[in-house]
């Protein structure tokens, strides 16, 4: 009897031919969020546009980038050079670029819209550009910037998302098979507190500062009169500018961006939820979009299809 | 008390008015008043204590007995009851697809052996085979005549005949094999035709992300299939990058109607496809193809970079449904002829998983040099499109493994359609199962998810439909099972993504206390403290 069970189990296992291995992703999405408004927060808009510029340059189409910007710095009356947002006082790099497609702007940037976007629980009349239509093959880059504290990130001046809410939203995404892998980046004070509560698999997280640390800005542009970019994003952008679509730079080297002498704060990294060897994960798995292709050689014969 | 005071003061005003005339009288009256007051005060004190304690008691009653339960009830997360037991049951029940297989051979012993072999082969798979001898009387007919033998939906018929030299699969649901065929081979073909591996792979990969079949081909096929949805858009885009140099005279509607529409009609039980076509001009390919001998070639490694820039211009983002793209790229005159290239093989078409296909349309030299319109051939454009469409929606391609009777049409063979049905049923059913079990698990994990009546009803409906899918599959009714799986899929999606689930997003549990405690505690303290007095009063009043 025992051997019979064993035998039937073997045939069963043999039939199913299962083994565990992580397959590749099939598409890339990015959710980029700036949560703070007002002119003195110019740097947060510059932060988010820096990442936007990079992912767009590396190939994620606008239809797969959800950009949430709480204020319009480019057209702010205080901006001495309208329609530009610079990451540098030398004004070398206009991160506003030629075409920016903002999906959620101004007061639309709320915790509710952000969580609804992630979990897919949107009113039925929501336009496609405001939806995260990901599936089990999607790699998602989530970038957040704004003012935060231990365990929360402030949205506008009125509300905040807590690390628990964020972790729950990601868990719901995982349960609904809404992602394959997530790279979570956050540039805010005490940033690492935001990813501490995560409990869903396949998430790689990186934060500009540890709990108890402030995340610092890079420099002031005297013409603009405010700090124009945060240190962590400044160095991340510097790194990303050197990435080409076909280059094989790994995520491991990206996680080393902005060492303490540059950032002043300590960059936090969480890798325990992520199951791939970081040295073998190309940075374009999250920042770029390369669709897998196959050439078609064998064609069907449809010559006799009736008229 | 108040009235008393008032009369007293009135009295005293009057007293002052008549002060000079009747001083003694005034004193007397005052003395009277004092004694009156004292009496009243004692009465008052008793009344007052009763009243005070009574009112404190009423306050306490309203607040503690009515108020708190009401508050608790009002701030409770609304959860319409869900059929948790049935949902968890879905996770334990195996999917069993009943399939009839009819066998005809000239020798009843051979028939029996085949049937016996079939039961051992299909033991422990998701198929429950009902193998039986066929009612067919005679197979000594031509293949064309045998093709007329109709086998019912979802089943297969194995027919031994001398008209074939090898196992060959018909257009209907018949499989022909010559006498003395190895039974193992026959079983292999059956396993392939019923797509046992693809079905189990599809189910396993959805249930446990990361797990999949060992057969790489099966995995690739699955990853290529568009994600499950009840509506799809098919968008044919013709890109002419140099309209000033080359005029292309082609109407996509006609070939789409001829080649694609019959196929979509066949698939109408599976999903709705809405077909659109558009022309785009002046779009560069971005990649510069190098020249190889007399042709321009785009290597596969470069070809993957042309889709993302193209996609930006396609405007497929208007609809929420998944879109299957087909791009016909008219090659610029300076790059004719242009091909994709891989391992020394050239082709005009390539495909990207879940997205669609791109093909180059090479115009002839004459149209480029002279101002003659280029009229492309419908068939040569539609052949790659139909081939890729088959792959993208998951039509099983068996031509590599066994010989098929040529159909020469864009439509599906009947057994292919059956396979599609099975695949869709499994996909939609598994999706429903995951969605429902996730939902019920999340309700346990995350306390502030709201389930309104509408969502609760959708979940119940979904569970019922999913259960019916299992019943129909067990009875071998594919069409009904497909219909129920569609209902189950749609209602479960509706329930999981309903906006009302997040109604309490701004109202987590900790805020419940943070908001109400500062509001209610100052009121509660005197009420609670007066309870002691009330208790004493009751004790005093009724125990003496």
């Amino acid at each position: 009897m025992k051997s019979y069970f064993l035998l039937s189990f073997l045939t069963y296992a043999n039939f199913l031919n299962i083994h565990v291995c992580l397959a590749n992703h099939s598409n890339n999405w990015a959710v980029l969020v700036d949560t703070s408004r007002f002119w003195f927060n110019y740097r947060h808009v510059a932060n988010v546009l820096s990442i936007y510029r990079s992912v767009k340059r590396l190939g994620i189409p606008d239809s797969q980038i959800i950009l949430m910007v709480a204020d319009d710095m480019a057209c702010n009356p205080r901006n001495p050079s309208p329609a530009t947002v610079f990451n540098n006082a030398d004004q070398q790099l206009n991160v506003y670029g030629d075409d920016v497609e903002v999906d959620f702007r101004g007061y639309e940037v709320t915790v509710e819209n952000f969580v609804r976007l992630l979990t897919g629980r949107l009113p039925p009349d929501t336009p496609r550009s405001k939806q995260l239509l990901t599936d089990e093959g999607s790699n998602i880059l989530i970038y957040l910037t704004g003012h935060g504290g231990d365990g929360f990130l402030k949205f506008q001046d009125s509300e905040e998302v807590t690390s628990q809410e964020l972790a729950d939203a990601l868990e719901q995404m995982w349960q609904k098979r809404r992602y394959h892998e997530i790279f979570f980046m956050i540039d805010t004070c005490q940033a690492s507190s935001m990813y501490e509560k995560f409990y869903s698999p396949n998430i790689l997280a990186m934060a500009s500062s540890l709990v108890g640390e402030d995340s610092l800005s890079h420099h002031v542009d005297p013409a603009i009169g405010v700090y124009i970019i945060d240190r962590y994003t400044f160095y991340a952008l510097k790194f990303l500018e050197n990435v080409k679509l076909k280059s094989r730079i790994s995520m491991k080297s990206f996680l080393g961006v902005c060492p303490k002498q540059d950032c002043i704060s300590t960059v936090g990294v969480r890798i325990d939820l992520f199951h791939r060897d970081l040295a073998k994960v190309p940075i374009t798995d999250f920042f770029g979009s390369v669709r897998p292709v196959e050439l078609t050689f064998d064609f069907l014969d449809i010559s006799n299809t009736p008229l | 008390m108040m009235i008393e005071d008032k009369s007293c003061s009135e009295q005293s005003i009057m007293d002052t008015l008549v002060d000079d005339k009747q001083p003694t009288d005034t004193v007397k009256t005052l003395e009277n008043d004092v004694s009156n007051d004292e009496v009243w005060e004692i009465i008052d004190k008793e009344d007052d204590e009763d009243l005070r304690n009574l009112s404190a008691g009423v306050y306490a009653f309203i607040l503690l007995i009515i108020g708190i339960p009401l508050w608790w009830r009002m701030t409770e997360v609304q959860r319409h009851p869900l059929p948790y037991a049935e949902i968890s049951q879905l996770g334990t029940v195996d999917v069993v697809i009943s399939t009839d297989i009819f066998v005809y051979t000239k020798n009843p012993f051979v028939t029996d052996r085949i049937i016996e072999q079939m039961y051992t082969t299909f033991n422990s798979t998701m198929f429950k085979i009902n193998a039986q001898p066929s009612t067919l009387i005679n197979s000594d007919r031509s293949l064309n005549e045998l093709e007329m033998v109709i086998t019912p939906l979802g089943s297969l018929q194995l027919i031994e005949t001398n008209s074939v030299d090898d196992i060959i699969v018909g257009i209907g649901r018949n499989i022909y094999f010559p006498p003395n065929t190895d039974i193992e081979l026959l079983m292999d073909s059956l396993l392939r035709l019923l797509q046992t591996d693809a079905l189990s792979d599809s189910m396993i990969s959805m249930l446990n992300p990361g797990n999949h079949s060992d057969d790489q081909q099966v995995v690739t096929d699955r990853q290529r299939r568009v994600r499950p949805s009840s509506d799809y858009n098919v968008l044919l885009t013709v890109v002419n990058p140099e309209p000033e140099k080359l005029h292309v005279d082609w109407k996509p509607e006609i070939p789409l109607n001829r080649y694609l529409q019959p196929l979509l009609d066949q698939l109408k039980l599976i999903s709705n496809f809405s077909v659109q076509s558009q022309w785009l001009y002046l779009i560069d390919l971005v990649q510069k193809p190098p020249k190889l001998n007399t042709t321009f070639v785009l290597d596969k490694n470069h070809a993957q970079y042309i889709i993302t820039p193209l996609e930006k211009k396609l405007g497929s983002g208007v609809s929420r449904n998944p879109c299957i793209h087909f791009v016909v790229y008219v090659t610029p005159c300076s790059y004719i002829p242009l091909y994709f290239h891989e391992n020394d093989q050239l082709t005009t078409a390539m495909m990207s998983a879940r997205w669609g296909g791109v093909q180059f349309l090479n115009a002839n030299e004459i149209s480029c040099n002279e101002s003659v319109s280029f009229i492309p051939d419908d068939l040569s454009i539609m052949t790659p499109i139909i081939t890729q469409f088959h792959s993208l929606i998951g039509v099983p391609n068996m031509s590599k493994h066994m010989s098929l009777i040529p159909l020469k049409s864009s439509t599906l063979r009947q057994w292919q359609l059956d396979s599609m049905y099975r695949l869709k049923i499994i996909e939609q059913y598994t999706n429903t199962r995951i969605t429902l079990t996730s939902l019920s698990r999340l309700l346990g994990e995350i306390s502030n998810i709201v389930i309104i009546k509408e969502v609760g009803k959708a979940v119940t409906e979904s569970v019922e439909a999913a259960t019916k899918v299992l019943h129909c599959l067990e009875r071998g009714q594919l069409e009904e099972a497909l219909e129920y799986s569609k209902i189950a899929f749609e209602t479960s999606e509706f329930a999981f993504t309903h906006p009302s689930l997040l109604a309490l997003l701004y109202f987590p549990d900790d805020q419940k206390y943070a908001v109400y405690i500062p509001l209610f505690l100052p009121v509660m303290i005197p009420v609670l403290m007066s309870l002691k007095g009330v208790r004493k009063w009751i004790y005093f009043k009724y125990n003496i």
Side-chain angles (χ1 to χ4, degrees):
Chain A
M1 197 65 191
K2 205 172 176 183
S3 65
Y4 170 76
F5 274 129
L6 192 66
L7 196 72
S8 64
F9 174 75
L10 281 177
T11 48
Y12 184 68
N14 190 30
F15 163 70
L16 292 172
N17 284 335
I18 304 162
H19 71 135
V20 178
C21 154
L22 282 169
N24 294 329
H25 69 286
S26 61
N27 56 69
N28 280 84
W29 285 74
V31 180
L32 314 175
V33 191
D34 152 53
T35 63
S36 46
R37 54 190 299 115
F38 304 125
W39 179 245
F40 54 86
N41 290 322
Y42 182 97
R43 63 184 188 279
H44 293 153
V45 176
N47 286 348
V48 80
L49 289 175
S50 298
I51 303 296
Y52 175 76
R53 171 194 160 83
S54 302
V55 294
K56 208 168 155 178
R57 188 175 59 80
L58 292 172
I60 304 185
D62 260 326
S63 58
Q64 281 163 226
I65 303 174
I66 311 287
L67 182 61
M68 302 175 97
V69 184
D71 205 346
D72 186 2
M73 295 310 167
C75 301
N76 193 299
R78 293 194 216 181
N79 193 340
S81 43
T84 57
V85 173
F86 291 103
N87 80 318
N88 198 313
D90 302 336
Q91 306 204 332
Q92 289 163 332
L93 205 59
N94 174 16
V95 290
Y96 193 66
D98 298 325
D99 53 338
V100 176
E101 196 184 296
V102 180
D103 300 296
F104 290 83
R105 49 170 270 179
Y107 287 116
E108 287 177 339
V109 182
T110 59
V111 175
E112 177 170 6
N113 281 343
F114 179 59
V115 175
R116 283 193 187 282
L117 176 86
L118 292 183
T119 52
R121 298 201 178 107
L122 298 146
D125 51 355
T126 312
R128 187 182 162 128
S129 63
K130 291 189 176 186
Q131 296 184 14
L132 189 67
L133 295 171
T134 52
D135 52 42
E136 75 276 9
S138 307
N139 273 14
I140 311 176
L141 167 74
I142 299 178
Y143 175 86
L144 304 175
T145 183
H147 291 284
D150 190 357
F152 68 89
L153 172 67
K154 202 172 73 155
F155 269 66
Q156 310 277 359
D157 265 354
S158 52
E159 50 179 353
E160 67 274 319
V161 65
T162 61
S163 52
Q164 187 61 51
E165 282 169 344
L166 194 61
D168 285 346
L170 294 180
E171 172 65 9
Q172 299 191 47
M173 289 175 76
W174 173 251
Q175 291 285 349
K176 191 66 193 72
R177 311 283 188 268
R178 275 171 71 78
Y179 70 80
H180 175 246
E181 283 166 350
I182 285 180
F183 180 47
F184 179 82
M185 265 175 102
I186 179 159
D187 189 346
T188 166
C189 295
Q190 317 208 34
S192 71
S193 64
M194 284 306 283
Y195 63 60
E196 275 172 356
K197 295 247 169 90
F198 288 177
Y199 53 100
S200 317
N202 296 349
I203 301 178
L204 182 62
M206 190 179 182
S208 61
S209 55
L210 298 180
V211 177
E213 284 182 337
D214 283 343
S215 190
L216 299 162
S217 53
H218 195 256
H219 63 279
V220 178
D221 181 348
I224 291 174
V226 290
Y227 289 97
I228 59 168
I229 195 162
D230 282 324
R231 280 177 178 269
Y232 168 70
T233 308
F234 179 83
Y235 288 103
L237 176 64
K238 201 172 160 188
F239 183 95
L240 290 170
E241 283 297 303
N242 291 322
V243 176
K244 298 281 171 294
L245 194 51
K246 291 165 193 171
S247 55
R248 303 292 295 173
I249 298 171
S250 73
M251 282 307 286
K252 196 176 180 182
S253 45
F254 184 71
L255 294 184
V257 88
C258 204
K260 188 141 184 170
Q261 71 263 25
D262 289 335
C263 253
I264 302 173
S265 59
T266 320
V267 171
V269 172
R270 184 166 174 194
I271 55 172
D272 60 321
L273 297 168
F274 198 74
H275 302 302
R276 280 201 286 164
D277 180 6
L278 290 169
K280 287 181 187 154
V281 181
I283 193 165
T284 45
D285 269 14
F286 293 103
F287 286 88
S289 173
V290 181
R291 289 192 175 274
V293 296
E294 52 187 312
L295 304 190
T296 315
F297 291 109
D298 303 316
F299 296 104
L300 291 174
D301 183 359
I302 57 166
S303 53
N304 278 357
T305 306
L307 268 172
Chain B
M1 185 83 179
M2 281 292 281
I3 299 162
E4 214 54 37
D5 272 345
K6 213 175 175 184
S7 63
C8 208
S9 59
E10 266 169 22
Q11 190 77 54
S12 58
I13 291 164
M14 274 175 63
D15 287 349
T16 41
L17 286 175
V18 291
D19 199 5
D20 299 329
K21 287 174 188 170
Q22 294 166 314
T24 49
D25 200 31
T26 317
V27 172
K28 214 178 175 182
T29 329
L30 271 176
E31 272 172 5
N32 270 346
D33 274 353
V34 168
S35 61
N36 260 351
D37 273 0
E38 275 170 2
V39 172
W40 274 112
E41 251 166 45
I42 292 164
I43 297 167
D44 279 349
K45 239 180 192 169
E46 270 176 20
D47 267 3
D48 191 35
E49 204 171 299
D50 282 356
L51 202 68
R52 207 152 31 89
N53 283 310
L54 198 68
S55 72
V58 169
Y59 266 115
F61 178 79
I62 290 174
L63 271 172
L64 299 179
I65 311 297
I66 301 176
I68 287 183
L70 195 70
W71 167 72
W72 191 258
R73 185 85 184 83
M74 302 270 280
T75 55
E76 204 179 35
V77 178
Q78 188 190 353
R79 289 265 171 100
H80 196 264
L82 296 184
Y84 291 107
E86 282 90 339
I87 291 174
S88 62
Q89 209 182 349
L90 285 182
T92 55
V93 181
D94 286 330
V95 180
V96 179
I97 307 173
S98 283
T99 308
D100 290 330
I101 294 185
F102 304 99
V103 185
Y104 173 81
T105 61
K106 283 165 193 154
N107 183 345
F109 292 113
V110 178
T111 309
D112 286 346
R113 255 184 55 216
I114 292 176
I115 288 174
E116 212 171 282
Q117 184 64 34
M118 228 179 283
Y119 282 122
T120 47
T121 308
F122 283 90
N123 182 24
S124 83
T125 70
M126 62 169 73
F127 281 95
K128 196 178 110 202
I129 298 293
N130 305 318
Q132 47 198 292
S134 165
T135 49
L136 196 74
I137 298 159
N138 167 16
S139 68
D140 293 329
R141 288 181 278 175
S142 73
L143 213 50
N144 280 343
E145 281 173 327
L146 284 173
E147 276 289 274
M148 296 296 176
V149 176
I150 291 170
T151 310
L153 177 83
S155 49
L156 287 170
Q157 178 145 232
L158 297 169
I159 299 172
E160 184 192 63
T161 171
N162 287 320
S163 331
V164 292
D165 311 323
D166 194 11
I167 300 173
I168 185 163
V169 187
I171 288 164
R173 301 183 179 92
N174 300 342
I175 304 158
Y176 308 100
F177 62 97
N180 303 324
T181 308
D182 184 5
I183 293 184
E184 284 298 319
L185 271 179
L186 209 54
M187 291 304 124
D188 262 8
S189 312
L190 262 185
L191 280 171
R192 280 198 187 282
L193 286 178
L194 291 174
Q195 284 194 295
T196 50
D197 212 9
L199 289 175
S200 61
D201 171 68
S202 164
M203 198 151 173
I204 289 156
S205 65
M206 276 200 271
L207 290 174
N208 312 300
N211 290 16
H212 56 76
S213 159
D214 241 353
D215 187 344
Q216 195 49 45
Q217 188 57 42
V218 169
V219 177
T220 321
D221 285 348
R222 168 171 56 76
Q223 288 175 341
R224 198 189 292 126
R225 282 202 298 272
V226 284
R227 66 183 166 93
S229 168
S230 43
D231 296 278
Y232 292 97
N233 290 3
V234 180
L235 179 63
L236 174 66
T237 311
V238 190
V239 183
N240 186 358
E242 294 177 336
E244 73 283 3
K245 287 188 191 160
L246 184 67
H247 180 250
V248 183
D249 185 11
W250 191 54
K251 283 199 164 42
E253 300 91 312
I254 299 165
L256 281 177
N257 273 333
R258 177 175 169 189
Y259 294 100
L260 191 60
Q261 202 53 51
L263 177 56
L264 300 184
D265 288 343
Q266 267 190 321
L267 297 170
K268 65 177 185 294
L269 278 184
I270 293 178
S271 344
N272 302 320
F273 292 87
S274 77
V275 185
Q276 285 155 323
S277 64
Q278 64 175 347
W279 282 82
L280 294 177
Y281 298 98
L282 301 168
I283 293 176
D284 196 30
L285 205 54
V286 182
Q287 303 285 322
K288 292 270 170 283
K291 194 164 190 175
L292 191 78
N293 301 327
T294 54
T295 55
F296 289 92
V297 290
L298 198 61
D299 193 68
K300 187 192 167 191
N301 296 327
H302 296 277
Q304 57 187 348
Y305 297 108
I306 68 171
I307 291 181
T308 312
L310 261 177
E311 195 177 7
K312 288 178 193 170
K313 317 275 184 183
L314 295 181
S316 53
V318 287
S319 163
R320 185 180 179 156
N321 305 328
C323 186
I324 304 173
H325 299 268
F326 292 104
V327 177
V328 178
Y329 192 86
V330 182
T331 314
C333 284
S334 46
Y335 289 115
I336 289 175
L338 177 60
Y339 293 100
F340 292 109
H341 170 253
E342 186 187 16
N343 303 333
D344 292 328
Q345 275 184 295
L346 297 180
T347 178
T348 55
M350 73 160 188
M351 173 167 56
S352 178
R354 293 192 162 194
W355 184 83
V358 179
Q359 62 173 301
F360 291 139
L361 180 60
N362 291 312
N364 45 26
E365 299 278 335
I366 311 157
S367 320
C368 265
N369 298 330
E370 297 155 33
S371 54
V372 189
S373 293
F374 169 52
I375 304 172
D377 174 34
D378 281 355
L379 184 64
S380 63
I381 295 181
M382 290 310 287
T383 302
I385 290 179
I386 297 296
T387 309
Q388 291 169 345
F389 187 77
H390 275 216
S391 300
L392 289 165
I393 58 169
V395 176
N397 180 11
M398 296 294 157
S399 54
K400 280 181 202 156
H401 308 290
M402 56 187 79
S403 38
L404 311 172
I405 293 180
L407 178 61
K408 295 195 174 180
S409 163
S410 62
T411 49
L412 303 183
R413 295 171 170 87
Q414 285 176 346
W415 57 266
Q416 280 179 319
L417 191 61
D418 291 353
S419 287
M420 288 285 295
Y421 281 180
R422 282 188 212 108
L423 202 59
K424 283 292 149 186
I425 293 166
I426 294 293
E427 260 184 21
Q428 291 181 332
Y429 168 77
T430 314
N431 221 306
T432 307
R433 183 180 140 181
I434 291 169
T435 308
L436 292 176
T437 44
S438 299
L439 184 65
S440 66
R441 191 179 315 138
L442 287 170
L443 288 178
E445 278 175 17
I446 302 165
S447 57
N448 66 341
I449 296 180
V450 179
I451 299 293
I452 60 168
K453 201 176 166 194
E454 197 184 359
V455 174
K457 267 166 86 179
V459 171
T460 315
E461 202 180 323
S462 180
V463 175
E464 278 169 8
T467 320
K468 278 180 190 158
V469 171
L470 292 177
H471 290 318
C472 289
L473 282 180
E474 263 191 272
R475 274 180 260 134
Q477 301 161 326
L478 285 188
E479 278 179 349
E480 289 84 349
L482 182 64
E483 207 171 300
Y484 284 123
S485 74
K486 208 170 163 182
I487 295 170
F489 173 69
E490 279 169 7
T491 45
S492 68
E493 287 291 306
F494 170 84
F496 196 93
T497 60
H498 198 274
S500 70
L501 262 71
L502 291 179
L504 287 186
L505 183 70
Y506 288 124
F507 203 68
D509 271 346
D510 48 345
Q511 287 204 6
K512 195 190 258 186
Y513 303 108
V515 168
Y516 288 108
I517 285 181
L519 199 68
F520 286 146
L521 206 58
V523 181
M524 293 296 275
I525 289 171
V527 173
L528 290 175
M529 285 178 69
S530 67
L531 276 181
K532 204 178 162 191
V534 173
R535 192 168 152 263
K536 235 182 201 168
W537 170 70
I538 293 172
Y539 190 75
F540 182 73
K541 192 145 191 177
Y542 295 98
N543 270 18
I544 295 169

